[in-house]
Amino acid sequence: MSNAYSPLLNELIQALQCLPGVGAKSAQRMAFHLLDRDREGARRLSGTLDSAVRRIRHCDSCRMLTEDAICRFCSSAQRDGSQICVLETPADLLAIESSGAYRGRYFVLMGHLSPIDGIGPSELGLDLLEQRLAEGGVTEVVVATSVTIEGDATAHLIATLARKHGVNASRIAYGVPVGGELEYIDSGTLSRALNGRRQIETPPEEVGL
Amino acid sequence: MSNAYSPLLNELIQALQCLPGVGAKSAQRMAFHLLDRDREGARRLSGTLDSAVRRIRHCDSCRMLTEDAICRFCSSAQRDGSQICVLETPADLLAIESSGAYRGRYFVLMGHLSPIDGIGPSELGLDLLEQRLAEGGVTEVVVATSVTIEGDATAHLIATLARKHGVNASRIAYGVPVGGELEYIDSGTLSRALNGRRQIETPPEEVGL
């Protein structure tokens, strides 16, 4: 269909389709936009993409994407080295970090257990995680994998690994989100919320009233 | 928000946002996809983008995007040089070409008249079009601009230009699309269809029946 275009234009439209969620039509729109209205942006994107592919790698300690050998979370003296939060993706790391509620270190699995896709413990870098646990100094592993069968299996495997090294393993709470109304929450989440219920602490003096 | 990432990763996420319809979240997803799963595609995209920006330009004769001085439609001896189809975008050219119903040459305006955005006749390359009309050999200008106020104004201007050079100007028909059901067609289109109605040709022998 696109043989009305010049070979290089066709090549560009083809190359843009390596982006997730971009099909032939969007790629065409992107190509025209870049060539017509934003050649400067296209030039910058080309350069950045090239150096990103050449330089961005996984942190030697936590597997986060970074251009340094050791990422800033692993090298920072401000972070609490006794906690390791285990995540599935770099985007999850950003989410946890934005919450401001965590000051420990991280470990990014870059996926979850999925035997059918050939993703086992070694693809998730669990040998690297085990090495960090064996080095000592870690007292708690906070597992924040997703709430799916694969995420649950991954969490279970990591907890086993932690126990082996005498490290406490916890999992972040899954339940009703803040501001969520019960009638609109799905039953799976509600069942998690009920199972994860906690004792309400009441100070003794209030009980005496 | 995205300061949890390394500088180069942030830069890549930023650069990807030059693509139309790509915001911070999609850019992040694209960056992770490319770095995690398709470095080969990213490398190819970077290279193609670079050579496209350096080499793709406008055809000297019809303003179509091409890496040659004269595009293949203008240089082909198979195309009918007596017709020029005037379009707004390269994508429109592809659409007309795919229909298979046109074998003449093209002229791509790369936009439409829009005084408020500073797009006047010279931004649309109408001096170049006039030059082609002045050279002679053209008998019909087929205007295929969009059905908007700007598209109509552009069509009108081109018709005036054509008349000045004694060239016939026509506009493609706008009306009910093939397979369209009347009850679902908007009133603007229906009004165009009614105004553009044509005499039904009946051969004399059938009338005699």
Side-chain angles (χ1 to χ4, degrees), chain A residues 72-118:
Chain A
R72 40 195 281 225
F73 298 109
C74 291
S75 58
S76 163
Q78 252 100 71
R79 311 288 303 200
D80 178 2
S82 69
Q83 287 185 315
I84 296 181
C85 179
V86 181
L87 301 150
E88 291 187 4
T89 68
D92 292 346
L93 189 153
L94 179 64
I96 295 275
E97 195 60 20
S98 312
S99 77
Y102 181 73
R103 300 298 301 160
R105 299 200 195 269
Y106 291 101
F107 189 85
V108 186
L109 301 169
M110 306 299 295
H112 47 225
L113 277 185
S114 180
I116 213 162
D117 303 314

Side-chain angles (χ1 to χ4, degrees), chain A residues 125-205:
Chain A
L126 291 191
D127 43 344
L128 189 58
L129 178 61
E130 190 161 10
Q131 197 180 307
R132 274 178 71 181
L133 295 177
E135 279 166 11
V138 179
T139 56
E140 185 183 5
V141 170
V142 181
V143 182
T145 53
S146 57
V147 196
T148 55
I149 294 174
E150 293 89 352
D152 288 348
T154 312
H156 185 77
L157 183 66
I158 291 165
T160 313
L161 204 68
R163 196 172 321 115
K164 204 173 113 187
H165 291 274
V167 174
N168 200 18
S170 62
R171 190 155 182 207
I172 64 169
Y174 296 101
V176 180
V178 174
E181 292 183 54
L182 286 201
E183 62 171 318
Y184 298 115
I185 307 273
D186 65 292
S187 54
T189 303
L190 273 184
S191 127
R192 287 259 176 182
L194 284 166
N195 287 333
R197 69 187 179 280
R198 289 223 226 159
Q199 182 81 40
I200 302 173
E201 307 284 343
T202 37
E205 61 273 23

Side-chain angles (χ1 to χ4, degrees), chain A residues 3 6 36 46 67 72, chain B residues 3 6 46 56 67 72 110:
Chain A
N3 57 6
S6 71
D36 255 16
S46 163
E67 62 265 33
R72 40 195 281 225
Chain B
N3 57 5
S6 72
S46 163
I56 292 182
E67 62 265 34
R72 39 196 280 228
M110 307 299 294

Side-chain angles (χ1 to χ4, degrees), chain A residues 1 3-8 12 28 36 39 43 46 49-50 53 56 64 67 72-73 90-91 94 110, chain B residues 1 3-8 12 28 32 36 39 43 46 49-50 53 56 64 67 72-73 90-91 94 110:
Chain A
M1 165 210 182
N3 57 6
Y5 297 139
S6 71
L8 186 54
L12 176 60
Q28 191 177 299
D36 255 16
R39 289 199 177 222
R43 214 169 278 127
S46 163
L49 208 48
D50 178 62
V53 167
I56 292 183
M64 177 64 181
E67 62 265 33
R72 40 195 281 225
F73 298 109
L94 179 64
M110 306 299 295
Chain B
M1 168 208 183
N3 57 5
Y5 298 139
S6 72
L8 186 54
L12 177 60
Q28 191 177 300
F32 293 145
D36 255 18
R39 291 200 176 220
R43 215 169 276 128
S46 163
L49 209 47
D50 178 62
V53 167
I56 292 182
M64 177 62 181
E67 62 265 34
R72 39 196 280 228
F73 299 108
L94 179 65
M110 307 299 294

Side-chain angles (χ1 to χ4, degrees), chain B residues 61-83:
Chain B
S61 166
C62 75
R63 304 186 90 219
M64 177 62 181
L65 290 170
T66 174
E67 62 265 34
D68 307 310
I70 300 287
C71 78
R72 39 196 280 228
F73 299 108
C74 291
S75 58
S76 162
Q78 252 100 71
R79 311 289 303 201
D80 177 1
S82 69
Q83 287 185 316

